[in-house]
Amino acid sequence: WRPPAQGSLFPPLVAILLAILFRRPILALFAGVWTATFLVQLDRPGVGALEALARGLPDVATDLFWPQLVDPYRLQIMGFVLAMLGMVGVMTRSGGIRGLMDVVARLARNARRTQIATWLMGLVIFFDDYANCILVGTTMRPLADRHRLAREKLAYLVDSTPAPVAGLSIFSTWIAFEVSTFSAQLPAAGLLPSDGYSVFVQTLPFRFYCLLTLVMSGAIALSGRDFGPMLAAERRARTTGLLVRKGGRPMVKDAATHLEPAPGVVPRAHRALLPVLTFVCVTLLEIVRVGLGALREDTPGLGLADVLSLQGVTDLMGSGDSTRALLVGSTSGFVLSLLLAFAAGLRGEVVRAAWTTLRSTGIAIAILYLAWMIGAACDTLGTAPYLTALLGDHLAPELLPAILFLTGAVVALSLIH
């Protein structure tokens, strides 16, 4: 073992730099991962640069990709995503999405009302940001296309509600994870680990990103006013009908976004509404079931009043294994969508629809795995400890929030496709 050195910064820097230069996130992330394995090999005695480069390539698969592929947590996340996408494909082909869109269209009769409906739906699904993005995005996309709403605007509205809502909701899976993360550090500040939830509640007025993003996206949806590149995108979509800019390459292929109900199928909203409600209800019930079991093991004699308190609710959410619950809930919704499609007279058609939706998101799944891999590579090289040792005594604590925000902004903008 050797202490982390400057080289530990190279993988993320290579990934960010290549993403900015070429706008190819897969290429950039893979190069960053390969850089990490190259540095590990180069650190071994008697290994030259060319040999390290050659040895590092298979290490990308064996040392970084395979552990992420078989990791139980990663598998549950991917299972949830695949089941949700498959459910969306089946609901679309069976006419469920079209039927639900027809119901929503009675209220959202123009582009502005469609934006308002998208924003409101984003607020309703408050318990998980992943589920929010997938459900709201896929449900509202056909209606947004009908009213010539630019895909940039739809993406903005869909992205600007899930994370802020999950960051403010006292019943979200994200807050349960967040509280469990910083509770262990509270004794260093003179507090008890059990004070984690009260600390979270006290931070709500200072969650400026969550609050201001919800206000900003809501104001834009309600007013119908845009500015800058978004205004140009909206004018393009309204006047020319081009929902995606020329040269734009969405991560989801046209095969999924233009999937239509099967011929002869009468659209019915319940074929989408019932699977979605099943997913939501089963997920929450599974979180409660597993969470109660864990709490009763840790706290014998646990009463109903303890569970219904604010502290009890967050303990319940934190102990409920939300990732597994999302997998169980999404699988339940997917199975119900298949049964409803079979009842509508469809057979092999729905299987092909599910596969079309899954196949169209291959780029997004590849980016997700590469992001996990570069995170594991940075852990191996000790990037975080090196930065801590490098900046710990020279950085004013007051600057840390701004630096974290700017770093996150640069990374996010660098990976724009």
Side-chain angles (χ1 to χ4, degrees), residues 32-118:
V33 172
W34 194 0
T35 301
T37 57
F38 163 75
L39 293 173
V40 171
Q41 289 290 341
L42 190 63
D43 197 43
R44 294 181 177 177
V47 177
L50 292 178
E51 186 180 0
L53 199 62
R55 287 186 176 184
L57 185 58
D59 286 350
V60 171
T62 58
D63 294 352
L64 292 176
F65 175 67
W66 180 253
Q68 302 304 314
L69 184 64
V70 299
D71 180 83
Y73 173 77
R74 309 295 193 211
L75 288 175
Q76 289 176 353
I77 287 290
M78 289 310 303
F80 155 66
V81 172
L82 295 177
M84 284 292 295
L85 293 173
M87 182 179 75
V88 168
V90 173
M91 292 190 306
T92 302
R93 199 61 176 162
S94 66
I97 294 292
R98 175 64 61 83
L100 184 60
M101 185 184 72
D102 292 340
V103 173
V104 177
R106 298 171 189 170
L107 301 175
R109 294 189 293 269
N110 53 43
R112 191 172 75 169
R113 290 193 175 187
T114 300
Q115 295 180 52
I116 296 172
T118 303

